[in-house]
Amino acid sequence: MTPKHIPECLINTNGINVNFDSFGNEDAPAIILIMGLATQMIFWETKFCELLASKGFRVIRFDNRDVGKSTWCDDLNVPSHLALLANILLKRTLKAPYSLNDMAKDTLGLMDGLQIEQAHVVGASMGGMIAQALAIRSPERVKSLTSIMSTTGNRQLPKPKITFLSNLFKRPPKQADQFVAFGLSLWKALHGNTYGFQKEKVSELLRLSVHRGLNPKSNVRQLAAILSSKDRTEALKAVKIPSLILHGDSDPLIPVACGHATAQAIPHSKIKVYSGMGHTLPDELLPEIANDILELIGGTS
């Protein structure tokens, strides 16, 4: 039986509107999915949400601020590429328009608006960083933490390949066909060669992203939020929430060493490394990833 789907709507919180939808019964325990850099909530694929919801959960996905149908922060400054490079290469202080902690507050505000006292929190890439920040600042609200292909913010850890760093600085084209071509090239490179790349599916998600609302400045502002954030390693050592770290051993953007560092920082956390997985969630692994998350959640009662 297909879980109940509640269509997209907006909720006002933390000074912005957050767009979300959900799967499953509204009175079921909540799983909140937090997506990564400049990526809309639809990249938490419907079938993945339904897999989780079918086990008796309310699964909520949402657009981060500056993305999709949530509030765009166009009244805030966009850091220059020179400032970003100076931060990466020379460790100069970067003035970001908002922080990962602000984005964690957005998630808390969404929970408050939906009257969710506690949730199982799952974040991918930047979403994993936001989930970690949420677990650090409001541990009483987080029932379990799953951090996928993410990192602690320790700048001494291995870095992305230079080709991927350069891609992060590129402003996506505004024209739909060009945006899809640009996105396909990037997603294919992130995906790697082990699992089949679903070109038609990714093309459709990219086209839907254009239709939902493409904010070309969001990647720079959100990248600044990542780069300006402090190392979370010491703070994560105080996290006592049941935690799971998932990573691919072929991740070209956030190397697997960053996943191991996250697991080492969080006491009693578990880590699972998927052979051949890059910086995407391959179709072939979605059932296994869902089961691994559900296994963690099942042990938190």
Side-chain angles (χ1 to χ4, degrees):
M1 182 176 177
T2 302
K4 176 183 178 182
H5 178 232
I6 298 177
E8 295 180 42
C9 57
L10 293 172
I11 194 166
N12 185 268
T13 180
N14 200 24
I16 64 169
N17 288 322
V18 175
N19 180 75
F20 72 97
D21 70 354
S22 68
F23 300 81
N25 295 328
E26 292 179 72
D27 59 352
I31 299 174
I32 295 184
L33 305 176
I34 310 176
M35 189 35 79
L37 177 71
T39 304
Q40 298 184 21
M41 69 182 208
I42 55 175
F43 279 83
W44 290 113
E45 295 182 47
T46 295
K47 65 180 179 180
F48 181 71
C49 297
E50 290 177 344
L51 272 173
L52 295 172
S54 68
K55 301 303 181 181
F57 294 93
R58 180 188 188 186
V59 178
I60 300 160
R61 59 182 181 175
F62 68 98
D63 287 322
N64 285 310
R65 62 166 64 196
D66 241 0
V67 165
K69 295 182 180 180
S70 290
T71 295
W72 293 2
C73 303
D74 287 342
D75 56 327
L76 301 178
N77 68 297
V78 179
S80 69
H81 287 178
L82 183 60
L84 295 174
L85 280 171
N87 175 271
I88 293 170
L89 300 177
L90 305 175
K91 300 182 181 179
R92 289 184 181 171
T93 300
L94 176 66
K95 187 175 180 181
Y98 50 79
S99 68
L100 293 179
N101 281 330
D102 291 325
M103 301 178 84
K105 290 178 186 177
D106 296 343
T107 310
L108 276 178
L110 175 62
M111 291 172 63
D112 289 340
L114 296 176
Q115 298 183 324
I116 297 171
E117 186 61 32
Q118 281 190 316
H120 301 281
V121 179
V122 179
S125 195
M126 181 188 74
M129 304 172 201
I130 296 168
Q132 292 171 27
L134 182 58
I136 290 167
R137 67 175 293 113
S138 300
E140 74 284 356
R141 305 295 299 276
V142 181
K143 187 73 170 172
S144 73
L145 166 66
T146 301
S147 179
I148 306 174
M149 52 196 184
S150 195
T151 185
T152 63
N154 180 356
R155 301 290 284 270
Q156 302 305 312
L157 290 170
K159 295 175 175 58
K161 295 178 180 178
I162 193 65
T163 52
F164 287 97
L165 274 177
S166 63
N167 281 329
L168 294 179
F169 287 93
K170 293 179 181 177
R171 181 173 293 185
K174 293 182 179 180
Q175 204 277 333
D177 289 340
Q178 293 176 359
F179 173 78
V180 171
F182 171 86
L184 274 175
S185 175
L186 180 58
W187 279 96
K188 191 173 189 306
L190 290 171
H191 188 77
N193 300 317
T194 302
Y195 298 97
F197 181 66
Q198 305 296 321
K199 180 179 178 181
E200 292 75 16
K201 179 195 73 175
V202 176
S203 294
E204 180 58 29
L205 287 171
L206 291 167
R207 290 190 182 280
L208 184 55
S209 296
V210 175
H211 176 74
R212 296 179 78 250
L214 186 64
N215 182 4
K217 297 178 182 178
S218 65
N219 63 324
V220 179
R221 282 194 286 256
Q222 290 188 354
L223 181 58
I226 294 170
L227 294 175
S228 64
S229 294
K230 294 180 180 179
D231 182 357
R232 292 177 296 281
T233 302
E234 287 302 314
L236 287 170
K237 290 180 180 179
V239 170
K240 295 179 172 58
I241 299 160
S243 301
L244 175 65
I245 314 303
L246 303 178
H247 220 107
D249 67 3
S250 300
D251 192 327
L253 185 61
I254 301 181
V256 68
C258 299
H260 286 293
T262 307
Q264 289 167 6
I266 303 175
H268 309 297
S269 62
K270 299 177 181 178
I271 183 169
K272 182 169 182 178
V273 176
Y274 301 101
S275 177
M277 188 174 93
H279 199 74
T280 63
L281 302 178
D283 281 9
E284 297 92 334
L285 289 179
L286 285 181
E288 186 175 353
I289 291 170
N291 284 336
D292 289 334
I293 294 169
L294 291 166
E295 183 176 337
L296 171 73
I297 290 173
T300 63
S301 58

